[in-house]
Amino acid sequence: MNRKILDLAIPNIVSNITVPLLGLVDMTLMGHLGSAVYIGAISLGGVIFNFLYWMFAFLRMGTSGFTAQATGRKDWKESELILGRSFALALFFGVMLIILQVPIEWVSFRILGGSEEVKQLASQYFYIRIWAAPATIGLYSLNGWFIGMQNAKVPMTVAIIINVANIIFSLLFVFAFGMKSDGVALGTVLSQYMGLFLSLWFARKKFGAPLSRLSKNQVLDIKALRIFMLVNSDIFIRTLCIIGVFTFFTSKSAGMNNTVLAVNSLLLQFFMFFSFFMDGFAYAGEALAGKYFGAGSRAKLKKVTQLLFLWGTSLGVTFSLIYLLAGNQIVSLLTDQVSIREAARPFIWWTALVPISGFAAFIWDGVYIGATASKGMRNSMLAATFLLFVPGFLLFKNSMGNDALWLAMILFVFGRGLFQTILAKRAIFKRIH
């Protein structure tokens, strides 16, 4: 069973690591155009799209859980219907974002601000990149389906091709055609649609064109769509809480001073890098827990959960030790500004607590999604946010300053795993048939 876990986890880890590479290349391209406004423009535009697309991440999670359960029951027709419903919803949401692009752009820039020159370039970037919305959200649906079908290699292959193509397109448009931030946006649009059609081709090649065998009435079955959306609404609320926590963390950092904002933004990269690895095992949990839940095998579900926690514990301890022993060196790699390096030193030990405190939340997320135990996920997230994170900061902000923010973050990541552990028996294992 360890082999199955690694076969699913490693491709997802590779996929995750390719994402920051693309962002680094885009920043480097803009950094060589002679003005900081270009960097600001794609940074601002990137924040908007990260927020928009993060809200639709529920489509990937819900699709993988339902599909994995159908796979466990060997109900191939149902797995095709899940893809059809998920993909139809993805295209609908993508088209709606295009239709609503003007009000979305207006609200976004009123919230984010920025200089007029940066906002003008970011707006241009936005109005080009928004046309990728159907492809980007459609890929969420397809990636979730492939994971549910126990295939993590296709999403990995597609992610690598998308990112390489995006880099090539961006280089071509910026250096060969003299475009600027608009060239980066156009490169993203083209690469996303390339990835969408490539995923559809893989689905046809490996699973015999599952979408072509579905009728409109089957896909648009109201009862089935209602169940699908009910689970996804819980995941959506859970995602909003995560967005809220990180937005709150960044906002309060900025409210202290610019140095604290820079330090915390830098140290959050420790969290993000750890999450690249843990998400791989969470995805493995989605696929395998869902498969065994669908097959009605409580013994195998417990076994895979135990093995996932062994992997999670090992990674948590490893990353905590690396951050504790080499945190200062990592900060030095991330910035050459001595003042920020010195300001970060007193807070590095908090980053060492994140992996060991937070690994359980990642593992449980995968198992909960696989078992479509969305209410338990939602309730655990709400409890961790409003019973631990917010009170933890408010109680200690005056006496601890920035340390209070990091204490609140540790309470949040630990609390998620704790509450999910408490609810797991009733939310998952007692529901298995």
Side-chain angles (χ1 to χ4, degrees):
M1 196 173 286
N2 271 317
R3 177 63 183 271
K4 291 180 181 179
I5 291 173
L6 291 176
D7 283 346
L8 289 163
I10 291 174
N12 283 303
I13 292 170
V14 173
S15 299
N16 289 340
I17 291 174
T18 65
V19 175
L21 174 63
L22 172 62
L24 180 64
V25 171
D26 285 349
M27 284 293 182
T28 303
L29 284 173
M30 295 300 98
H32 285 79
L33 293 181
S35 173
V37 296
Y38 298 114
I39 295 176
I42 65 166
S43 297
L44 207 59
V47 167
I48 296 170
F49 285 104
N50 287 341
F51 181 81
L52 285 176
Y53 293 143
W54 206 358
M55 289 196 300
F56 293 103
F58 66 83
L59 272 176
R60 189 205 62 75
M61 298 179 197
T63 303
S64 66
F66 279 115
T67 304
Q69 290 180 29
T71 301
R73 297 191 300 271
K74 300 189 185 303
D75 189 345
W76 311 120
K77 183 64 177 178
E78 179 62 18
S79 72
E80 293 174 358
L81 287 169
I82 292 164
L83 174 60
R85 291 168 190 141
S86 173
F87 193 67
L89 286 169
L91 295 183
F92 170 77
F93 289 132
V95 170
M96 287 304 297
L97 287 181
I98 291 175
I99 292 172
L100 297 172
Q101 61 182 286
V102 173
I104 290 172
E105 186 265 357
W106 187 88
V107 171
S108 298
F109 287 113
R110 292 305 173 279
I111 294 172
L112 294 173
S115 70
E116 287 303 314
E117 192 176 6
V118 167
K119 285 197 289 186
Q120 183 179 0
L121 289 169
S123 179
Q124 187 181 47
Y125 174 92
F126 173 86
Y127 280 119
I128 295 172
R129 188 174 165 184
I130 192 67
W131 288 93
T136 302
I137 302 175
L139 279 166
Y140 285 170
S141 172
L142 283 160
N143 287 343
W145 188 75
F146 279 118
I147 291 169
M149 295 293 287
Q150 317 297 298
N151 187 322
K153 291 181 180 178
V154 167
M156 177 191 71
T157 303
V158 172
I160 292 172
I161 291 173
I162 286 174
N163 288 318
V164 170
N166 201 340
I167 291 169
I168 292 172
F169 284 138
S170 295
L171 287 168
L172 179 67
F173 293 141
V174 172
F175 289 129
F177 298 128
M179 299 174 74
K180 295 179 172 59
S181 54
D182 53 341
V184 171
L186 183 58
T188 300
V189 173
L190 294 177
S191 61
Q192 289 293 300
Y193 279 103
M194 177 186 289
L196 177 68
F197 292 123
L198 187 62
S199 288
L200 290 170
W201 180 80
F202 274 122
R204 182 183 185 88
K205 180 181 179 182
K206 292 184 174 295
F207 300 102
L211 290 174
S212 66
R213 293 192 288 268
L214 303 176
S215 70
K216 179 181 176 182
N217 290 336
Q218 289 175 315
V219 172
L220 301 180
D221 180 88
I222 299 301
K223 182 179 178 181
L225 281 172
R226 186 178 65 82
I227 294 171
F228 186 78
M229 287 306 297
L230 186 63
V231 168
N232 281 317
S233 66
D234 292 328
I235 300 174
F236 179 74
I237 293 170
R238 169 251 187 205
T239 303
L240 280 183
C241 285
I242 293 179
I243 294 171
V245 163
F246 280 93
T247 301
F248 183 94
F249 188 93
T250 302
S251 174
K252 293 302 178 182
S253 299
M256 292 179 188
N257 57 61
N258 288 337
T259 300
V260 170
L261 175 61
V263 165
N264 285 354
S265 298
L266 195 96
L267 295 182
L268 277 179
Q269 301 310 306
F270 287 61
F271 189 118
M272 296 305 170
F273 189 71
F274 168 66
S275 73
F276 292 153
F277 286 81
M278 288 308 306
D279 275 340
F281 287 92
Y283 291 170
E286 292 175 25
L288 293 172
K291 179 181 177 180
Y292 298 137
F293 186 92
S297 177
R298 185 181 284 106
K300 287 186 177 180
L301 179 58
K302 286 185 175 180
K303 178 67 174 178
V304 77
T305 302
Q306 290 168 355
L307 290 174
L308 285 166
F309 264 89
L310 284 175
W311 282 106
T313 303
S314 300
L315 280 173
V317 171
T318 300
F319 272 89
S320 286
L321 287 173
I322 290 172
Y323 291 167
L324 185 64
L325 298 175
N328 289 319
Q329 288 79 2
I330 295 172
V331 168
S332 297
L333 290 174
L334 294 174
T335 180
D336 60 358
Q337 296 186 41
V338 176
S339 60
I340 294 178
R341 289 180 183 177
E342 292 301 317
R345 285 183 187 276
F347 305 105
I348 288 175
W349 72 276
W350 285 111
T351 66
L353 290 179
V354 169
I356 197 65
S357 301
F359 76 89
F362 285 91
I363 298 299
W364 275 129
D365 275 355
V367 176
Y368 271 70
I369 289 168
T372 55
S374 58
K375 288 184 179 179
M377 275 184 77
R378 180 200 65 195
N379 294 340
S380 297
M381 180 65 74
L382 289 170
T385 302
F386 295 106
L387 297 182
L388 295 176
F389 178 78
V390 175
F393 174 71
L394 295 178
L395 284 171
F396 298 102
K397 65 176 182 176
N398 293 329
S399 59
M400 295 178 63
N402 190 40
D403 285 299
L405 264 180
W406 282 101
L407 172 63
M409 181 62 76
I410 297 299
L411 290 173
F412 172 70
V413 297
F414 177 76
R416 282 179 58 202
L418 176 64
F419 290 128
Q420 285 174 311
T421 301
I422 293 170
L423 295 175
K425 185 175 180 179
R426 182 175 51 136
I428 299 173
F429 296 104
K430 281 190 175 181
R431 290 175 49 233
I432 197 166
H433 301 297

